[in-house]
């Protein structure tokens, strides 16, 4: 699961900035950050979705959305919502983590992810497609955290048929899963 150093450069912008230039031991914060293994350093990110990005997307943070990944998963990338509209009609939403916001086309991270194609799940180990900072944090649809997603939303009758005349909506969203 190791990632080339160039891949990690793209991710440094999502780590907290530190105002102090030196540590107690005389090591500069810049030197310390240059040595961080960003594939492991996932818990201290304070990154939040920029307000201008929220305004570009449909805001579904008040919708009850839940992950459909197993309880043992670290990378929660699939979620659903089902809202009853009336006795016989439901709104269904399928939400997938928006990795494209973080992985820019043509970067070393993009090339590495393309080479890996998918995460590989072995019995006691995972070989991730993306560094843990992305797949376990910034792109993971963790409960109670605002996250970027691609969504499709449609209306369905209780017998499983689509509502006539209603077209599915596809687009970029901001979501906050409840579980």
């Amino acid at each position: 699961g190791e990632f080339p150093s160039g891949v990690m450069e793209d991710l440094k912008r999502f780590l907290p900035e530190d105002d102090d230039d030196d540590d107690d031991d005389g090591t500069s914060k810049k030197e310390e950050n240059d040595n961080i293994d960003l594939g492991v350093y996932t818990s201290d990110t304070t990154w939040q979705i920029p307000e201008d990005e929220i305004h570009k997307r449909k805001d579904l943070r008040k919708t009850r959305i839940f992950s459909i990944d197993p309880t043992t998963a670290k990378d929660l990338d699939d979620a659903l919502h089902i809202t009853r509209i009336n006795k016989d009609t439901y709104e269904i939403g399928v939400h997938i983590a928006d990795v494209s916001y973080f992985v820019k086309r043509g970067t070393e991270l993009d090339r590495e992810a393309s080479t890996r194609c998918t995460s590989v799940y072995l019995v006691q180990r995972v070989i991730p497609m993306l560094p843990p900072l992305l797949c376990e944090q910034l792109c993971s649809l963790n409960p109670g955290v605002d996250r970027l997603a691609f969504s499709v939303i449609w209306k369905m009758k209780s017998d499983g048929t689509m509502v006539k005349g209603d077209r599915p909506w596809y687009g970029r969203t901001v979501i906050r899963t409840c579980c």
Side-chain angles (χ1 to χ4, degrees):
E2 297 295 317
F3 288 87
S5 61
V7 167
M8 305 323 240
E9 280 302 311
D10 284 342
L11 302 180
K12 286 186 178 180
R13 63 193 163 123
F14 300 114
L15 293 176
E17 293 182 22
D18 212 325
D19 295 335
D20 293 337
D21 288 339
D22 292 317
D23 256 352
D24 293 339
D25 66 0
T27 309
S28 77
K29 292 291 186 184
K30 181 180 180 339
E31 288 175 53
E32 192 175 292
N33 277 341
D34 287 345
N35 294 323
I36 290 173
D37 177 359
L38 294 171
V40 176
Y41 186 72
T42 60
S43 62
D44 289 341
T45 184
T46 57
W47 181 85
Q48 293 184 345
I49 302 169
E51 281 298 316
D52 65 321
E53 187 63 28
I54 291 172
H55 294 298
K56 294 177 192 174
R57 295 169 177 259
K58 181 176 241 179
D59 191 342
L60 299 176
R61 292 178 289 178
K62 293 186 191 267
T63 303
R64 183 175 299 194
I65 298 174
F66 50 92
S67 171
I68 58 172
D69 289 299
T71 56
T72 56
K74 291 183 184 178
D75 54 339
L76 309 176
D77 55 359
D78 310 301
L80 292 175
H81 84 262
I82 302 169
T83 305
R84 188 177 199 170
I85 295 172
N86 60 44
K87 183 179 177 193
D88 192 44
T89 307
Y90 296 85
E91 178 182 89
I92 312 292
V94 176
H95 314 280
I96 305 298
D98 181 0
V99 176
S100 69
Y101 180 86
F102 300 94
V103 180
K104 300 304 178 198
R105 184 181 297 254
T107 62
E108 196 166 339
L109 177 56
D110 179 42
R111 287 187 291 278
E112 182 70 18
S114 294
T115 299
R116 292 178 182 226
C117 296
T118 188
S119 295
V120 177
Y121 294 87
L122 304 172
V123 174
Q124 294 183 356
R125 180 182 147 153
V126 175
I127 302 169
M129 181 175 82
L130 297 170
L133 178 63
L134 291 180
C135 67
E136 294 177 16
Q137 291 293 321
L138 302 180
C139 298
S140 191
L141 306 177
N142 296 322
V145 183
D146 296 353
R147 289 293 179 247
L148 302 174
F150 282 108
S151 302
V152 58
I153 301 169
W154 70 95
K155 291 189 178 84
M156 180 180 269
K157 296 292 196 179
S158 58
D159 66 3
T161 59
M162 301 283 288
V163 172
K164 288 190 187 331
D166 187 71
R167 296 177 52 106
W169 178 88
Y170 300 87
R172 295 175 186 259
T173 54
V174 179
I175 68 171
R176 182 184 302 140
T177 61
C178 62
C179 61

